[in-house]
């Protein structure tokens, strides 16, 4: 299934994209797409519904983040060896974990704000993992059973605040609009191998990132098991699993960063596409 949320900011309704790419309204069935509706049992009930019996949504409504009421937005850094190299960092021996504030979350096609005074705002296409079942001290073999589904994430980053302003990375990762999620959550039964998905990102029509999840240092299963040993994971938590090479920071000889008025397009095989316009905050 492809589950999504649509409507004005803060008033999103749950929806389903059927096989003919028609948006169907799920608000008569569930209140929202969030932790309570992401268990295997809850998803099985949604899967049993004939989409043709659901109201079709007309027009072109705004698409919101594909998950509501996110409890934790957890990110993994430097998880592709070639991205670590372009960033001038050593290949990690354990996952590099940081957080984005949930206030950074926005829709997949919403504007991305360039922070005031920023000259180093960057892009990062990433595979997102949405937790569907609580996880604490689980094994790698069990890990994927705790996944509700997958989505596209743009881990927008302000490199000066991330690297040069002291402290942790979180400051440069959590500005408002720095976490576009969606367009939809694709349930795990439709993603048989999360370690073989092509991914890409363009800025103003120029391809900068072109990678595949098979080159991850730590797999999705390894990441989930690892995180479950240092925190409990709850349904609706979102994990962003790292980016392939091609970020602006890594461009030689001079890094390239975003400015207001540009367009980012990005996508992952089978998970849909995003498009954002950059604007001044």
């Amino acid at each position: 299934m492809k589950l999504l949320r649509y409507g004005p900011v803060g008033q999103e309704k749950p929806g389903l994209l059927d096989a003919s790419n028609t948006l169907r309204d799920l608000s008569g069935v569930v209140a929202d797409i969030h932790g309570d509706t992401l268990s295997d049992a809850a998803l099985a009930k949604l899967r049993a519904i004939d989409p043709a019996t659901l109201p079709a949504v007309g027009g072109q409504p705004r698409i919101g983040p594909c998950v509501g009421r996110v409890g934790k937005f957890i990110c993994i850094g430097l998880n592709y060896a070639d991205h670590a190299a372009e960033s001038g960092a050593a290949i990690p021996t354990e996952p590099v974990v940081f957080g984005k504030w949930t206030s950074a979350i926005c829709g997949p096609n919403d504007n991305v704000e360039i922070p005031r005074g920023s000259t180093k705002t960057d892009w990062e296409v990433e595979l997102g993992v949405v937790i569907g079942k609580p996880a604490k001290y689980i094994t790698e073999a069990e890990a994927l059973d705790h996944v509700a589904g997958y989505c596209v994430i743009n881990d927008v980053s302000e490199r000066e605040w991330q690297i040069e302003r002291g402290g942790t990375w979180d400051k440069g990762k959590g500005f408002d609009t720095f976490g576009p999620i969606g367009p939809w959550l694709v349930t795990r039964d439709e993603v048989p191998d999360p370690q073989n998905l092509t991914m890409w990102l363009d800025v103003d029509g120029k391809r900068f990132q072109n990678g595949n999840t098979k080159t991850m240092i730590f797999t999705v299963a390894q990441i989930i098991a690892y995180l479950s040993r240092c925190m409990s994971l709850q349904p609706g938590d979102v994990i962003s699993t790292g980016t392939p090479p091609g970020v602006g920071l890594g461009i030689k000889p001079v890094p390239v960063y975003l400015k207001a008025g540009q367009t980012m397009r990005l996508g992952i095989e089978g998970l849909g596409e995003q498009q954002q316009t950059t604007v001044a905050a």
Side-chain angles (χ1 to χ4, degrees):
M1 287 185 297
K2 293 181 174 67
L3 302 175
L4 67 152
R5 303 168 68 248
Y6 68 96
V9 176
Q11 302 175 45
E12 292 91 349
K13 295 181 178 181
L16 178 152
L17 194 72
D18 70 15
S20 66
N21 290 327
T22 299
L23 174 56
R24 301 283 180 172
D25 181 14
L26 274 175
S27 60
V29 182
V30 293
D32 202 352
I33 306 299
H34 54 51
D36 294 344
T37 56
L38 295 176
S39 69
D40 286 348
L43 292 176
K45 289 181 180 179
L46 294 181
R47 200 173 285 113
I49 298 170
D50 179 357
T53 65
L54 299 170
V57 178
Q60 294 183 315
R62 168 188 173 269
I63 303 300
C66 60
V67 185
R69 295 185 356 205
V70 175
K72 294 191 287 296
F73 193 174
I74 310 158
C75 301
I76 306 299
L78 304 173
N79 196 31
Y80 291 70
D82 33 14
H83 170 58
E86 73 173 354
S87 302
I91 295 175
T93 56
E94 295 197 25
V96 175
V97 180
F98 63 93
K100 278 185 179 286
W101 321 126
T102 55
S103 52
I105 293 172
C106 64
N109 304 316
D110 290 347
N111 291 341
V112 165
E113 297 180 359
I114 305 295
R116 294 180 183 179
S118 169
T119 59
K120 296 183 179 180
T121 298
D122 206 347
W123 56 82
E124 296 189 10
V125 60
E126 306 204 358
L127 172 65
V129 179
V130 181
I131 297 297
K133 181 168 69 173
K136 185 173 183 177
Y137 295 114
I138 63 169
T139 66
E140 187 179 324
E142 300 171 297
L144 296 187
D145 292 338
H146 292 257
V147 174
Y150 302 91
C151 62
V152 181
I153 294 177
N154 190 353
D155 176 20
V156 186
S157 308
E158 210 295 333
R159 301 302 189 187
E160 180 185 0
W161 280 92
Q162 176 190 354
I163 299 168
E164 302 171 30
R165 301 290 289 262
T168 65
W169 286 6
D170 307 68
K171 291 185 294 184
K173 296 285 190 170
F175 286 92
D176 289 358
T177 75
F178 271 27
I181 297 177
W184 40 74
L185 184 159
V186 180
T187 51
R188 75 170 188 268
D189 58 298
E190 295 192 12
V191 186
D193 184 3
Q195 300 309 143
N196 189 20
L197 300 173
T198 58
M199 54 206 307
W200 55 272
L201 182 144
D202 297 347
V203 179
D204 291 340
K206 179 179 179 180
R207 180 65 46 94
F208 282 92
Q209 292 189 274
N210 196 7
N212 191 292
T213 57
K214 65 186 177 184
T215 65
M216 283 183 178
I217 298 169
F218 303 103
T219 66
V220 172
Q222 289 171 327
I223 290 166
I224 293 170
Y226 182 90
L227 292 174
S228 80
R229 296 198 294 273
C230 53
M231 67 186 82
S232 60
L233 299 173
Q234 283 88 35
D237 285 350
V238 175
I239 304 169
S240 200
T241 58
T243 197
V247 301
L249 172 67
I251 295 174
K252 303 293 189 296
V254 180
V256 175
Y257 295 112
L258 295 163
K259 56 184 183 295
Q262 295 188 286
T263 299
M264 289 181 282
R265 288 186 64 242
L266 57 148
I268 299 177
E269 177 186 357
L271 304 184
E273 298 183 8
Q274 301 183 354
Q275 179 169 306
Q276 300 107 26
T277 299
T278 55
V279 298

